Amino acid sequence: MDAQTDRHRYHHGGLRTALLDAAERSLRERGVAQLSLRDLAREVGVSHAAPRRHFPERQDLLDALAEAGFGRLGEAIRHAVADGDPDLAARVSRASSAFARFATENPALLELMNATKHQPEKTELTSSVEKAFEPFVDLIHEGQDRRLIHSGPHEEIGLVLYATINGLATLVNNGSVDADRLEELIDAAVRQFLRGTAP
Amino acid sequence: MDAQTDRHRYHHGGLRTALLDAAERSLRERGVAQLSLRDLAREVGVSHAAPRRHFPERQDLLDALAEAGFGRLGEAIRHAVADGDPDLAARVSRASSAFARFATENPALLELMNATKHQPEKTELTSSVEKAFEPFVDLIHEGQDRRLIHSGPHEEIGLVLYATINGLATLVNNGSVDADRLEELIDAAVRQFLRGTAP
DNA sequence: ACGCAATGTAGGCAGTGCCTACTGATGTTG
DNA sequence: CAACATCAGTAGGCACTGCCTACATTGCGT
């Protein structure tokens, strides 16, 4: 089964990930409304019905994209927290900036990640948003341990910070606020946050 | 031109607003993805091409819905600020709660209002989001005058609060956070905010 | 070696957005 | 007040989409 360089083996081999890659590009370049399964199929070189094997409905693809987005966002934030000045305030600031950067670099993806989900019906395992705001919660928790942040439900405090950055990024992404003001807004938000949560 | 009760006058009379009304209902009940111009036309009783006279593109209808949404949201917040205990903190709290209520009662609309706009090309007048966060900014300004909030760019401070509530509502709307936790989250956010912005 | 599940193909259907050409009403003006 | 320009509706067509069903090919486990 040596891979022919010809792109026409009957079985694509990695169709699912190929679709997700193509979808992510399409999403970034043309927005979610323009994202079409048939389009992706053409781009990847399979028939228009092939994607159905991996994503029975269009929304399933979008869900997978959002899921992956949360993973990448969480990782980006974790990295930002890990590298550099270990001062807590500095790390909170870097985490927030990393979030903001991700958001402005992937506006359509963020929109998808924030989109109202259909009924999760039943299980839906766990909202993968956790992956993204976990680093924030962890940061709060550590801050509390070191008496830099007042005691209280750390998950709640982390959520508020996450929501603030998310909201500011949204305002920039939809054009309500000039992009070059984002940094200063994030900065102000972080300072206010730290002041508001000081012991 | 006495109005026949028969629904078949050639000219509808108020097609634009009838479409907007129907669209708002459809949006609330079935989400933006299911909103179809032809569907609305049927519902209102005109031909499938009639809406085009008022909304050349589907997105134009969505824009109008968002615009109207900002108007209503702003009004709701202003009313919440005006009625009740005139204490500043209480008013900030009521404004935030009103925002949250609007958001959870109109999830699809809020999503639309937060959606990434296409190129505003050139003019686009002014982002009508202002109507919604103006009350927050005003509140901050007044707080500064009365030395209850530290000095600084009041628009920036107002934006941060607006973004925080918006972000929290988004987390609830997309199922990341249980709806019954919203109130306490808003409460915590407002308290932190006031603490963080105290003089 | 064989059978079966997984994965891809081909074609069809209803529905959509956008387009053009046409028609009926409105109201402005000479 | 009649002619007419403009506005607001209708009818039909096109390309495209998502979803469906029936069929073909492949690879894998026994």
Side-chain angles (χ1 to χ4, degrees), chain A residues 107-129:
Chain A
L109 179 56
L110 188 80
E111 198 173 329
L112 211 56
M113 293 157 61
N114 282 333
T116 14
K117 301 293 188 277
H118 324 220
Q119 320 299 30
E121 284 300 319
K122 302 206 152 202
T123 50
E124 183 68 20
L125 295 176
T126 162
S127 273
S128 61
V129 205

Side-chain angles (χ1 to χ4, degrees), chain B residues 134-163:
Chain B
E134 215 175 41
F136 284 101
V137 175
D138 290 348
L139 231 31
I140 304 306
H141 198 85
E142 182 192 328
Q144 291 179 324
D145 281 351
R146 294 165 52 191
R147 313 283 174 206
L148 298 168
I149 288 180
H150 70 61
S151 66
H154 50 285
E155 199 222 4
E156 190 169 290
I157 303 178
L159 272 175
V160 170
L161 179 56
Y162 178 91

Side-chain angles (χ1 to χ4, degrees), chain A residues 107-108 111 113-117 127 129 150 155-157 159-160 162-164 166-168 170-171 173-177 181 184-185 188-189 191-193 195-199, chain B residues 107-108 111 113-117 127 129 150 155-157 159-160 162-164 166-168 170-171 173-177 181 184-185 188-189 191-193 195-199:
Chain A
E111 198 173 329
M113 293 157 61
N114 282 333
T116 14
K117 301 293 188 277
S127 273
V129 205
H150 70 61
E155 199 222 6
E156 190 169 291
I157 304 178
L159 272 175
V160 170
Y162 178 91
T164 303
N166 197 359
L168 287 173
T170 297
L171 284 175
N173 278 348
N174 75 6
S176 306
V177 172
R181 291 186 58 194
E184 79 183 72
L185 280 167
R191 264 180 294 128
Q192 278 179 30
F193 175 82
R195 239 185 126 213
T197 56
Chain B
E111 198 173 330
M113 291 157 63
N114 282 333
T116 352
K117 299 296 188 275
S127 274
V129 203
H150 70 61
E155 199 222 4
E156 190 169 290
I157 303 178
L159 272 175
V160 170
Y162 178 91
T164 302
N166 197 0
L168 287 173
T170 297
L171 284 174
N173 278 348
N174 75 7
S176 306
V177 172
R181 291 186 59 195
E184 80 185 69
L185 280 168
R191 264 179 295 127
Q192 279 179 31
F193 174 82
R195 235 182 130 218
T197 55

